Amino acid sequence: QAAGAQVIGVDVGKEKLAGARGAGLRTAVDSAEAADTVHAIAPDGVDAVIESTGVPTLLETARAMLRPGGRIAALGYKAGATMGVSSHGLVLLEQSVIGSRYASRSDMEHAIRMVADGLVTPVIDEVLPLERVNEAVERLEAGKVSGRLVMSML
């Protein structure tokens, strides 16, 4: 949104959606309603989807939301899992999927500047001491984190 894009956030659960709205996201919808809501907002589909969960079935869900020529940036992954999409949709609609390890150094510098300038507010679920790193990993794996967990080494 800070760059002028219309952003539609999709997540699971009222708490996470409320957190996204609280952080300034204008449109946040539950994943169960995402396809209908996205197509109501953008009848021809969206230009891009950022798929950050790595849940294999959600790659096709993301592809179905794209307009012809649209692109998915896949950031999340599950080690050993295979992700698949409709081959006819991908080819005939000339859609693409690109894998990304998230951001380059210059991307991170730009993001930090946007936070410093007040254009973006990071959502921090909790700050934990490094001694609680195992708890942090368990919470992440269980999907019990809204935003980011920060590990403090102080």
Side-chain angles (χ1 to χ4, degrees):
Q1 290 179 153
Q6 179 180 4
V7 178
I8 304 168
V10 178
D11 212 327
V12 178
K14 292 178 183 177
E15 184 178 301
K16 290 185 178 187
L17 294 171
R21 287 185 193 102
L25 188 62
R26 293 184 195 108
T27 308
V29 299
D30 191 276
S31 60
E33 304 163 0
D36 292 338
T37 303
V38 167
H39 286 291
I41 294 168
D44 296 327
V46 297
D47 295 326
V49 174
I50 299 172
E51 205 302 295
S52 62
T53 68
V55 174
T57 57
L58 294 183
L59 193 63
E60 174 57 22
T61 301
R63 193 214 53 79
M65 294 181 196
L66 290 176
R67 66 165 173 77
R71 174 178 280 191
I72 298 169
L75 307 181
Y77 67 95
K78 302 280 184 202
T82 300
M83 301 173 97
V85 295
S86 162
S87 62
H88 75 276
L90 194 68
V91 173
L92 297 178
L93 297 175
E94 298 181 323
Q95 297 166 329
S96 61
V97 179
I98 184 168
S100 175
R101 287 191 283 172
Y102 181 65
S104 66
R105 181 181 174 100
S106 65
D107 291 336
M108 291 302 293
E109 290 170 353
H110 181 70
I112 290 168
R113 274 194 305 278
M114 290 178 76
V115 171
D117 293 344
L119 298 172
V120 175
T121 303
V123 177
I124 298 173
D125 187 292
E126 188 174 359
V127 177
L128 298 170
L130 189 57
E131 297 80 34
R132 293 176 57 191
V133 68
N134 290 337
E135 174 190 336
V137 171
E138 288 171 5
R139 286 177 55 193
L140 286 166
E141 288 176 341
K144 303 220 183 263
V145 177
S146 294
R148 299 284 183 225
L149 286 178
V150 175
M151 303 310 298
S152 172
M153 300 190 322
L154 300 177

